[in-house]
Structure formats: C-alpha cells, structure tokens
Amino acid sequence: MITVTVLHPGTMGAAITAELVASGHEALSVTKGRSENTWLRGREAGATAYDSLAEALSRSAVVLSVCPPQAAEDVAAAVAAHGFAGVYADVNAISPQRVRHIADEIRPGSAVVDGALFGQPPGEGRATRLYLAGADSAVDLVASLFTESALHVCRVGDTPGSASALKMAFASYQKAARTLAGIAHALADAHGVGDQLTAEAEIMISAILSDPEYLPSVAARAWRWAPEMEEVAATLHAADLPTDMAEATARVLAFWEQDKDQYDLTVVHTLSQLRSGRSTWTGPDNKQGPGR
C-alpha cells in the first residue's frame, strides 16, 4: 500500500482518488482552505481527510496535483514550502514551461513527474489515459498506483514537460474544434440554415487530427483558403459573432502562402513552415498582419 495525497479532488481528482482506493492504496485529502464540496468529494471517493497539509505530506510517498490549471503553481509552492521529499506528480492541463518551473520549485527535495490526463473521469465503465514523463523510478512509482485500474498509464519519455506538451497539442485541436463548432452553428442559426449545416457535417471526413498526411494538401490550397476565412470573418462580424478564430485561421494559413498549388509537399516540410516565423497575412483591412 502506498499513501498518496491528492490536491485537490474536483470531479477528476475524486475519480482518481476512488481508483487509488480501489487499487488498495491510501488516499489523503486536505480540508484546510477548501470548500465543503471538495471535502465531500474526497470523502465519498474514500480519502482520509486531514486539516493540515504538513501532516498529510509527512505520511505520503506521492502527491498528485489535480487542480484547475491556474492554481498549479500555488499548489506546488505550498507543497515545496513543507520540504516534501517524495514524488510530486503534476497531472494538470498546463504548458511544458510551467511544468519545468514547478519542477525547479519542487526540487531538490522530491522527484517531479509530469502527467497528462486524456478522457473523462475514470470509473463506471470509462477508461482514462494518464501519460507520464520523468525519471524512471518516479514514473514507475506513480504507474504502480494504477495497476489494473480504469486509469491506463502510458509513458512519453524521461523529460518533464513531454506529457504536458502532448496535452497542449491535443487540446489545441480538441478545444478549438468544439469552440469553432459553436461559432459555426451560431452563424448558421443566424441565417436559418442550421439543419443544412448539420446535414453537411454528417457526411464530412472526421478523422482530421489522426491523419496528418493530408496536411500538405491544406498547405497547397492555403492561398485560396486564407481569403475565404477573411470572408468568413466578415460574415461573422455582420452577424455580431466573434471573428477572432476566423482571422487567426487566415493568419496561420498565410504561413503556407509560398506552397501554392504544390501538391508534392511532405508532412515534415508542411509542419516546419508553421515554425518559420514568416506569415504573409495582410488582414481584412489589407494591413500586414502580425505574423509571429
């Protein structure tokens, strides 16, 4: 049995806590400064509540930080202030840069594992993927907490930040795509063509993120797509809807301007163009866009 402090159990943290307890480990939560809902979630998941963070840490070999992204550094600083000497696993949706900053703050007392969660909270027939990066011994310890649980562990290297980079890459598509869907449906609704938009979407190819081989064809057509996105922005503006994402798409497409109608491009070249720092986007008012 390994004792783990979970900071602080929201919906995801409570589900992870329940998986820890079901796997035979002891889970601790800290009530001081937390809401009643947080305390109740931890108790219902089987955690033992401690009022003192210092006492919980003194009993724990592992700390799991599962909190809103904006609170990640504060949680890490509170743990570091008590000289915690175990394994600190940050599984929050934060940037690789912030993970490395947290690792610098936690060390040298403890080992830091970078984690990224994919999927809904585990349990009730749902499996969640937990990607881990860090020193082998520390990753092994965290991975051992979830053997035969609904939290499936995957390794992505020994450098803290790698797991979070994967999360950021996935979220950059997943969250933006859902937001774009909201804008698209709002625009269609404003013009009374919502049902037709849904019907068209049903026959679309959906495996976009899982098939990067199609990206060179996007680059080859970007010179036509960028002006089209400017037209989209104008249409959104007329409907009193946000234009930011359409304008940003036009700006990104302009990074591929020099690849006009070149359908023999490689994926490597296509991706490298996005890191080139050269955008030719002029914006809807014909002024040079900011590029990068």
Side-chain angles (χ1 to χ4, degrees):
M1 181 183 73
I2 299 172
T3 302
V4 182
T5 292
V6 181
L7 303 173
H8 292 280
T11 301
M12 178 65 82
I16 292 174
T17 299
E19 292 298 317
L20 286 168
V21 174
S23 296
H25 303 293
E26 182 182 21
L28 311 181
S29 63
V30 178
T31 59
K32 185 176 182 180
R34 311 311 304 171
S35 70
E36 182 179 359
N37 286 339
T38 300
W39 176 74
L40 287 174
R41 278 192 296 262
R43 185 181 69 177
E44 290 171 358
T48 301
Y50 282 83
D51 183 61
S52 166
L53 174 61
E55 185 175 4
L57 294 178
S58 70
R59 296 173 179 271
S60 299
V62 177
V63 168
L64 284 180
S65 175
V66 193
C67 65
Q70 61 269 28
E73 281 95 340
D74 290 342
V75 171
V79 172
H82 290 285
F84 178 65
V87 172
Y88 185 88
D90 187 299
V91 298
N92 302 305
I94 60 176
S95 70
Q97 301 93 303
R98 290 180 67 192
V99 170
R100 288 190 284 268
H101 179 264
I102 286 171
D104 290 340
E105 184 165 28
I106 291 290
R107 291 170 180 161
S110 64
V112 174
V113 172
D114 171 31
L117 292 160
F118 285 73
Q120 296 181 343
E124 299 181 358
R126 297 186 303 268
T128 305
R129 281 89 59 214
L130 172 60
Y131 287 83
L132 299 176
D136 286 345
S137 58
V139 169
D140 287 344
L141 180 59
V142 176
S144 72
L145 299 172
F146 303 106
T147 303
E148 298 183 1
S149 77
L151 207 63
H152 299 169
V153 175
C154 313
R155 299 169 184 249
V156 287
D158 56 5
T159 304
S162 298
S164 288
L166 175 62
K167 178 69 174 183
M168 293 297 98
F170 185 78
S172 70
Y173 174 81
Q174 181 200 34
K175 302 300 191 294
R178 282 157 175 74
T179 304
L180 284 170
I183 292 173
H185 281 284
L187 179 57
D189 182 70
H191 289 271
V193 292
D195 291 343
Q196 290 83 353
L197 175 65
T198 301
E200 279 297 317
E202 288 174 349
I203 61 175
M204 286 177 59
I205 298 174
S206 60
I208 296 176
L209 188 60
S210 62
D211 182 21
E213 294 298 326
Y214 81 97
L215 288 172
S217 69
V218 175
R221 291 175 286 177
W223 67 277
R224 290 188 285 110
W225 286 12
E228 183 176 340
M229 292 310 299
E230 292 174 7
E231 295 299 319
V232 171
T235 308
L236 289 167
H237 178 74
D240 294 324
L241 289 165
T243 63
D244 308 69
M245 298 185 80
E247 292 175 349
T249 301
R251 183 162 56 248
V252 173
L253 286 166
F255 278 78
W256 288 317
E257 177 91 4
Q258 64 185 9
D259 297 326
K260 177 179 178 180
D261 291 336
Q262 297 183 40
Y263 290 94
D264 58 348
L265 301 172
T266 66
V267 174
V268 171
H269 168 85
T270 301
L271 299 182
S272 68
Q273 291 292 82
L274 295 179
R275 295 191 292 269
S276 68
R278 295 187 299 274
S279 174
T280 60
W281 187 67
T282 57
D285 57 357
N286 294 320
K287 292 181 181 179
Q288 182 66 35
R292 281 193 179 182

